[in-house]
Amino acid sequence: MMRKVILIMLFASSVFAAHQIEANVNSRDVEGSIRLDMGRMGNAMNNAYIGARFLKGDNNNSKTIADPDPLMEVSFLVMRPVQGVPGLKVGLGMKGEYTKFDGNTYSAVPMGVEAELRLPLNTPFPFYLGGALYYAPSVLCFKDADSYMETRIHLDAEPITNGRLEVGYRTIDTDVKDQSVTYNDSWYFGMRLDF
């Protein structure tokens, strides 16, 4: 019980210190993430972010596994505007992934790229198109893991300043040594708040 209380306190304190909170759902899955802007925390790492994610996937959005545990993640990302392309940001990052499913313990350290473009539309509020691609070959996988691949694309609308509504699609492959595994393959919608 004490461990649960400590984890809840750590989570609550990190939410209050967060600079970006996102939650998304579909009929079977729920995903939540937080990011902290290192540059706003009093150090010289401008445009660097540390984060955490929790994805409670459902086996109906997998088709290859019967009993998935939640996918937990910690991440580090550096994201900057691209000179000469208004509204475009590109970032490089790495993550640590951990889950269990069907008797397998899975962990991986994928590296990847993220991008976001503010669409040049004449609308009452801005729209953003974003995506991410992360990959870990077998050398960056541990326990029963053999490879990791995540792709994501999303469209955001910002009807209020620093508040976005999002619709997107994600696929996460968590292959193990003797099986190709799709942990999650689904559409989702959600909300993101920036502070």
Side-chain angles (χ1 to χ4, degrees):
M1 182 64 179
M2 182 57 96
R3 281 189 287 175
K4 289 182 182 177
V5 171
I6 292 170
L7 286 173
I8 289 170
M9 289 173 57
L10 285 172
F11 180 73
S13 66
S14 47
V15 166
F16 290 118
H19 298 116
Q20 183 183 98
I21 299 173
E22 181 178 341
N24 62 63
V25 296
N26 57 37
S27 62
R28 301 185 183 276
D29 306 318
V30 62
E31 180 181 38
S33 65
I34 63 170
R35 278 191 177 160
L36 295 100
D37 186 342
M38 303 279 293
R40 291 171 52 189
M41 296 172 65
N43 64 48
M45 298 185 70
N46 288 332
N47 301 307
Y49 304 88
I50 56 172
R53 175 176 73 160
F54 177 88
L55 170 60
K56 176 64 175 106
D58 188 273
N59 63 332
N60 290 297
N61 285 333
S62 169
K63 299 183 179 65
T64 55
I65 51 179
D67 187 23
D69 279 5
L71 179 70
M72 293 173 280
E73 169 188 296
V74 293
S75 62
F76 179 77
L77 174 72
V78 176
M79 192 164 203
R80 295 205 167 118
V82 175
Q83 291 184 356
V85 185
L88 178 62
K89 294 181 182 178
V90 174
L92 299 174
M94 60 188 307
K95 309 194 286 186
E97 307 286 346
Y98 178 82
T99 189
K100 291 183 178 180
F101 52 83
D102 298 344
N104 295 298
T105 301
Y106 185 94
S107 61
V109 183
M111 295 182 285
V113 61
E114 297 188 24
E116 179 181 88
L117 174 65
R118 181 176 173 160
L119 298 175
L121 302 173
N122 187 14
T123 55
F125 47 82
F127 284 86
Y128 300 85
L129 181 63
L133 172 66
Y134 281 88
Y135 176 70
S138 60
V139 72
L140 294 176
C141 295
F142 310 97
K143 304 288 187 182
D144 300 318
D146 188 51
S147 70
Y148 177 92
M149 172 73 85
E150 177 180 352
T151 56
R152 178 183 299 257
I153 188 166
H154 56 89
L155 178 66
D156 299 358
E158 190 176 26
I160 61 170
T161 303
N162 298 328
R164 296 188 188 187
L165 299 174
E166 177 177 286
V167 62
Y169 175 77
R170 68 173 165 250
T171 180
I172 301 172
D173 293 326
T174 52
D175 295 346
V176 293
K177 299 193 186 314
D178 57 351
Q179 182 184 7
S180 293
V181 175
T182 299
Y183 179 86
N184 194 261
D185 185 0
S186 62
W187 290 91
Y188 62 86
F189 69 94
M191 180 175 62
R192 180 178 125 183
L193 300 174
D194 296 312
F195 302 98

